[in-house]
Amino acid sequence: MSEPREKTTVLSNAFGVGDACMYRPLPADANSSAITDLEFVAAIGKVLQDHHWATIWDLQNILGVRHSLIRAKARRTYRRGLTVGCICGCRGEFRLTPAGRDFLGQGGVGERPK
């Protein structure tokens, strides 16, 4: 049997971020810092191209990480004002705030929202 190879998913979205999300294997003890804020926000932006909101399962499929990491990153980006949605652990229904769209459009650089 051959070795599993690392998969790379290139996101082309309306915000102009090319390869913001990389599907890669993470160690079992990885924490939410294993996913960058830009990767997370870009994954939500990708889902929003076709849907009204992004669920936890949509983000799991794109980012390739477990549910608990998605929830932790959702709490972080919610507190930073980049996303809105339910962070309790239900399906989420995440959307980008205007600050989140700006953050994504700048490639994750620039002034952080308060």
Side-chain angles (χ1 to χ4, degrees), residues 8-32:
T8 303
T9 303
V10 177
L11 293 182
S12 299
N13 60 40
F15 304 106
V17 174
D19 53 357
C21 289
M22 307 295 277
Y23 174 73
R24 74 258 186 231
L26 295 175
D29 61 344
N31 60 25
S32 67

Side-chain angles (χ1 to χ4, degrees), residues 13-58:
N13 60 40
F15 304 106
V17 174
D19 53 357
C21 289
M22 307 295 277
Y23 174 73
R24 74 258 186 231
L26 295 175
D29 61 344
N31 60 25
S32 67
S33 64
I35 308 167
T36 66
D37 290 350
L38 179 59
E39 287 176 316
F40 189 78
V41 171
I44 293 174
K46 172 68 175 163
V47 175
L48 292 178
Q49 290 179 349
D50 300 319
H51 304 286
H52 294 291
W53 56 73
T55 66
I56 285 191
W57 304 287
D58 294 328

Side-chain angles (χ1 to χ4, degrees), residues 32 37 71-81 112:
S32 67
D37 290 350
R71 285 180 43 222
K73 187 52 77 169
R75 283 190 301 272
R76 177 176 168 76
T77 56
Y78 177 85
R79 288 184 188 127
R80 287 187 56 202
R112 292 184 170 201

Side-chain angles (χ1 to χ4, degrees), residues 69-109:
L69 291 182
I70 298 293
R71 285 180 43 222
K73 187 52 77 169
R75 283 190 301 272
R76 177 176 168 76
T77 56
Y78 177 85
R79 288 184 188 127
R80 287 187 56 202
L82 300 175
T83 61
V84 293
C86 185
I87 56 176
C88 80
C90 66
R91 64 187 193 173
E93 298 183 357
F94 302 109
R95 292 180 305 280
L96 298 178
T97 63
R101 288 190 293 276
D102 291 344
F103 179 77
L104 186 56
Q106 297 169 10
V109 296

